[in-house]
Structure formats: structure tokens, C-alpha cells
């Protein structure tokens, strides 16, 4: 199985279009050690021919253009694409808007939890994906689903599971108190398995907490690609970017006693890669003390174009 990171940044990307904060400003200036990153998405293939998108970011058009594996086969029909399916892990703008780029009548399948599928179904703009050609398939939780494109099986199985998180920002219901109306299925993780080899990895780009169930699930895994939104919970507040903490946005931070680095310390995961990294996160700087701490703890910081073969 080949995994490619299409975009390693969180919502807004790195740099973010309207952000003059210190990290975005530095990457825009081209400072050494800082690499631009597009918004959150991976692609994965078992056979090298059929590809699955894990989330569909607003930068998908650019990501496809930057990734030859996702181009139409040059010797294929006038219209063709190796993208056979897209699996969504929540309803956030950075994870669903790329679907709009996949209009033009190409058949493929969209997989999402019942909650996220409800959001797509409630927004008629997604009907630009011709419902006669683009199948919407609701993913059950805690059960393995073999992904299929219009031409059948593509050799990848996913198991979706609920993780601690928050309903998408634009769906928050303030009348529901601190949960904002979050329900099961609003944020899922995926166990992605190559049907041919049985190798698997976990993709969890949004997560508010590594609770006991999640820790048990990922213990001993070959690879986890995990929510790396913030380094410290209040970094956006401290940098003057906005008044929200990571916890308020439904994201665990990397550092601290309650952070992901501490939570994974004893889980014996063989390879740990942060994805969905916010433009405020100092670990984006190759030369920062925060990057050093992340790497010393056995984590890698994902980047666009990163390839992992399992
Ligand atoms: C998030 O990951 O919290 C969201 O993508 C934030 C947003 O919608 O901008
Ligand atoms: Mn996001």
C-alpha cells in the first residue's frame, strides 16, 4: 500500500490567505526551514492504479496537479481518473469542499458517516457530483467496509470509528451547551487496510482526546497519522490570531500532560506522523525547539508529497 500526503496543513493551509501571523509571514517570505503546505488530505492505493482520497480539501485541484498518480491515464479514454473513492472523516470545510472539484461527470464513490453524509445531503451544491454517477455510501461504525469505485473493488478496506471531537464549526448549535450538539459520527478515525497484504494504518486527522478506547485501538499499530493541529492549546490566542483554544475547536494539542505526544508515549506505535497541522504550530519550522521535541518523542511532521509504503 502506498500512502501519499496531499496536504499536511489544517484548515486555512500554510500560509493562510489572510494571515500575517509570525508563522504564515515567515513561510511567505521563504525563510529556510519553513515549507508551505496545502490543506488536509491523503491519498492511498493498494495496486498503484486505483486511488482513494482520504478527505477532499479545498486545495484538491492543486494537489491532483502536483500528484501524477492522480492524473488521468494518458492512454485511457478522453475522460478518466484513477480516483475511485473519497472517504470523509468529518464535515469540516477543509475536508469536504474538495468534492466540488470532482464534478464533471466522473463516476466515483463518496464514503462518510451518517452524520457527515447528512450534511452533504442537506447541501444541494454537492449535487454538482451527478447523483447518477457518484455514489454516496454511508459508513457504518466499527465495521470493515471494502471500498468500491464504479468498476468494483479497489483493494482497500476501511473501518470507521468514532473519536472524541466536535461537530463542524458551521454546524455548531450554541443552545446545546459545551458539546455544541456534537453527536457520534461527527468525527471519525479510519483504520485503512490493504486487502491484498493485510497491512494497515490509522488516519485520525481530527481528535479532541486520546481516550482509553482509542489508545487500546491503536496500540502496537504500524503507523498512525494523527491530528497535529496545535503544539500548545492556547497558541492561537497567544499569537493574537483568534480567541479560541485547541480544546474549544475539538483538537488535542501535541505538547503537555494532556497532549498527544504524552498520550502515545507508551502505545508502541511503530511510526507516528502528524497531519492536519495548523499554520500557528511552531513545529512546522524545521529548526524550532518544538520540532526538535516532536522528533525526539518519535514523531514525524507530515509534509505535502510525503510518501509512506506499508
Ligand atoms: C478544524 O479542524 O477545527 C476546522 O477545520 C476549522 C475550520 O473549519 O476552519
Ligand atoms: Mn480541519
Amino acid at each position: 500500500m502506498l500512502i501519499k500526503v496531499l496536504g499536511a496543513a489544517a484548515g486555512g493551509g500554510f500560509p493562510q490567505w489572510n494571515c500575517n501571523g509570525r508563522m504564515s509571514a515567515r513561510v511567505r517570505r521563504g525563510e529556510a526551514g519553513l515549507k508551505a503546505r496545502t490543506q488536509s488530505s491523503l491519498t492511498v492505493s493498494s495496486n498503484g492504479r486505483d486511488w482513494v482520497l482520504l478527505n477532499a480539501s479545498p486545495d484538491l485541484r492543486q494537489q491532483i496537479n502536483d500528484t501524477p498518480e492522480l492524473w488521468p491515464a494518458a492512454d485511457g479514454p478522453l475522460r478518466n481518473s484513477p480516483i475511485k473513492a473519497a472517504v470523509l472523516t468529518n464535515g469540516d470545510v477543509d475536508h469536504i469542499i474538495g468534492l466540488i472539484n470532482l464534478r464533471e461527470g466522473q463516476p466515483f464513490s463518496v464514503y462518510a458517516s451518517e452524520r457527515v453524509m447528512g450534511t452533504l445531503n442537506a447541501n444541494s451544491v454537492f449535487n454538482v457530483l451527478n447523483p447518477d454517477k457518484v455514489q454516496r455510501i454511508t459508513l457504518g461504525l466499527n465495521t470493515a467496509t471494502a471500498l468500491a469505485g464504479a468498476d468494483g473493488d479497489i483493494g482497500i478496506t476501511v473501518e470507521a470509528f468514532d473519536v472524541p471531537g466536535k461537530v463542524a464549526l458551521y454546524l455548531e448549535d450554541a443552545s446545546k451547551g459545551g458539546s455544541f450538539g456534537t453527536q457520534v459520527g461527527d468525527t471519525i478515525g479510519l483504520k485503512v487496510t490493504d486487502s491484498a497484504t493485510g497491512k494497515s494504518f490509522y488516519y485520525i486527522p481530527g481528535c479532541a482526546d486520546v481516550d482509553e478506547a482509542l489508545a487500546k485501538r491503536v496500540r502496537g499499530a504500524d503507523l498512525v497519522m494523527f491530528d497535529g493541529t496545535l503544539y500548545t492549546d492556547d497558541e492561537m490566542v497567544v499569537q493574537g490570531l483568534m480567541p479560541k483554544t485547541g480544546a474549544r475547536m475539538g483538537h488535542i494539542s501535541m505538547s503537555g500532560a494532556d497532549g498527544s505526544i504524552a498520550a502515545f508515549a507508551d502505545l508502541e506505535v511503530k511510526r507516528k506522523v502528524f497531519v492536519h497541522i495548523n499554520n500557528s504550530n511552531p513545529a512546522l519550522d524545521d529548526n524550532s525547539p518544538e520540532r526538535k521535541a516532536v522528533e525526539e518523542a518519535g514523531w514525524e511532521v507530515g509534509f505535502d508529497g510525503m510518501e509512506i509504503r506499508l
Side-chain angles (χ1 to χ4, degrees):
M1 171 163 55
L2 180 59
I3 304 154
K4 291 195 83 162
V5 176
L6 297 179
F14 184 51
Q16 177 175 310
W17 72 280
N18 66 340
C19 187
N20 205 19
R22 61 172 179 251
M23 295 294 292
S24 283
R26 289 176 63 205
V27 72
R28 204 175 276 119
R29 278 200 299 268
E31 273 192 32
L34 287 103
K35 252 200 292 286
R37 286 165 171 83
T38 61
Q39 293 169 86
S40 177
S41 174
L42 307 184
T43 189
V44 57
S45 177
S46 162
N47 57 21
R49 193 181 57 245
D50 301 314
W51 289 83
V52 177
L53 300 176
L54 303 181
N55 288 320
S57 101
D59 299 322
L60 182 58
R61 181 180 176 280
Q62 177 189 337
Q63 293 167 342
I64 292 173
N65 286 340
D66 290 344
T67 310
E69 290 91 337
L70 301 183
W71 297 353
D75 56 357
L78 271 179
R79 301 274 179 130
N80 78 84
S81 169
I83 298 173
K84 298 293 160 53
V87 187
L88 311 175
T89 63
N90 62 23
D92 285 359
V93 164
D94 53 341
H95 285 162
I96 68 171
I97 292 303
L99 291 176
I100 306 293
N101 287 297
L102 302 178
R103 62 195 187 279
E104 322 294 2
Q106 192 65 36
F108 68 101
S109 308
V110 179
Y111 293 84
S113 70
E114 192 174 348
R115 281 285 285 173
V116 173
M117 199 60 87
T119 298
L120 301 187
N121 292 342
N123 284 275
S124 54
V125 67
F126 290 105
N127 292 334
V128 296
L129 302 177
N130 182 346
D132 293 336
K133 302 205 168 172
V134 179
Q135 258 199 299
R136 296 183 189 184
I137 301 164
T138 300
L139 271 181
L141 299 181
N142 307 309
T143 178
T145 302
L147 301 182
D151 308 321
D153 189 68
I154 47 186
I156 297 283
T157 298
V158 298
E159 179 182 347
F161 49 90
D162 190 64
V163 297
K166 186 184 69 62
V167 69
L169 182 62
Y170 60 91
L171 295 172
E172 286 184 1
D173 180 350
S175 74
K176 298 272 168 60
S179 79
F180 301 100
T182 300
Q183 293 182 26
V184 167
D186 277 325
T187 310
I188 60 170
L190 298 172
K191 180 184 186 185
V192 182
T193 304
D194 182 333
S195 316
T197 64
K199 290 266 185 195
S200 64
F201 73 101
Y202 289 88
Y203 175 53
I204 309 167
C207 187
D209 181 33
V210 181
D211 61 9
E212 233 178 275
L214 180 55
K216 195 167 158 220
R217 200 184 276 278
V218 301
R219 176 176 285 282
D222 281 337
L223 169 68
V224 176
M225 306 194 69
F226 193 76
D227 184 342
T229 308
L230 302 182
Y231 188 77
T232 37
D233 191 49
D234 65 353
E235 77 192 28
M236 291 199 297
V237 184
V238 170
Q239 291 179 34
L241 299 176
M242 68 150 146
K244 281 186 191 166
T245 60
R248 168 64 185 81
M249 297 193 309
H251 296 290
I252 188 174
S253 298
M254 294 179 176
S255 67
D258 299 329
S260 51
I261 291 175
F264 275 82
D266 298 321
L267 296 183
E268 290 164 17
V269 173
K270 292 179 191 68
R271 197 163 172 190
K272 297 172 284 194
V273 179
F274 282 122
V275 290
H276 191 280
I277 307 157
N278 195 53
N279 49 64
S280 56
N281 191 325
L284 284 169
D285 177 350
D286 295 351
N287 303 316
S288 65
E290 292 84 358
R291 168 65 71 85
K292 194 158 177 259
V294 163
E295 290 179 347
E296 279 177 2
W299 284 82
E300 296 166 70
V301 174
F303 54 90
D304 294 15
M306 183 182 201
E307 288 189 5
I308 300 178
R309 210 173 273 280
L310 266 189

